[in-house]
Amino acid sequence: MPDLTKTQIGRLTAALDQRYRLLKEEVQTELERSGESNYIDLAGGVHDTADESMADLLSDLSAESVHRQINEMRDIEAAQRRIRENEYGECVECGTEIGFERLLAYPTATRCIACQTHKEKMFAGSGRPSL
Ligand SMILES: [Zn+2]
């Protein structure tokens, strides 16, 4: 586990939870608007157990209007899983600490700034793999 204090983890967990609730509300509103809310009872049907993925459940819906939210919910669920498994805050590319300030700005970040910048540069190129 990278060098994050309990307090820092607590703040990041709260930020993730808050963002997740907001996205869930957006999805619910959108589904109600589009008449798809009868597929799923977001408010009471699914409880927040550790293994249950709301995003997976929602991705079965044909609601393209909520794809962005569902993708972000998936990122948040992944971050929450990393917190539980003590892997949170570690860059997936190089294994160094992502850093609290960056995590506070992007709680779902999986890369340190160096690796993220590198990745963005690669994808910003010709759009073709450089191999
Ligand atoms: Zn890195």
Side-chain angles (χ1 to χ4, degrees):
M1 186 68 151
D3 208 9
L4 294 167
T5 67
K6 270 208 168 85
T7 313
Q8 288 174 331
I9 288 286
R11 274 182 73 183
L12 294 165
T13 303
L16 286 165
D17 287 351
Q18 194 182 23
R19 182 72 187 142
Y20 193 84
R21 270 199 299 276
L22 193 77
L23 287 164
K24 207 161 91 171
E25 275 171 28
E26 279 181 30
V27 170
Q28 189 163 25
T29 305
E30 185 57 39
L31 292 182
E32 274 164 12
R33 203 180 58 78
S34 64
E36 292 196 67
S37 62
N38 50 339
Y39 283 102
I40 183 172
D41 180 6
L42 281 180
V46 183
H47 9 259
D48 293 317
T49 65
D51 295 331
E52 214 156 9
S53 168
M54 172 84 71
D56 280 348
L57 212 63
L58 288 170
S59 64
D60 291 339
L61 296 176
S62 59
E64 288 186 19
S65 52
V66 292
H67 264 182
R68 187 185 60 81
Q69 284 91 336
I70 289 173
N71 280 337
E72 201 178 333
M73 285 171 78
R74 212 185 276 277
D75 285 346
I76 293 173
E77 286 171 0
Q80 290 168 334
R81 198 175 311 129
R82 289 198 299 277
I83 289 173
R84 280 199 301 273
E85 291 170 359
N86 285 347
E87 288 170 1
Y88 185 68
E90 239 175 51
C91 174
V92 293
E93 302 284 345
C94 67
T96 59
E97 286 174 34
I98 292 173
F100 179 62
E101 293 303 321
R102 173 162 164 75
L103 287 169
L104 205 57
Y106 306 100
T108 58
T110 55
R111 289 178 179 82
C112 67
I113 289 175
C115 291
Q116 185 65 39
T117 308
H118 181 66
K119 187 176 170 247
E120 276 163 15
K121 266 188 196 142
M122 272 175 26
F123 278 92
S126 62
R128 275 183 225 153
S130 54
L131 291 172

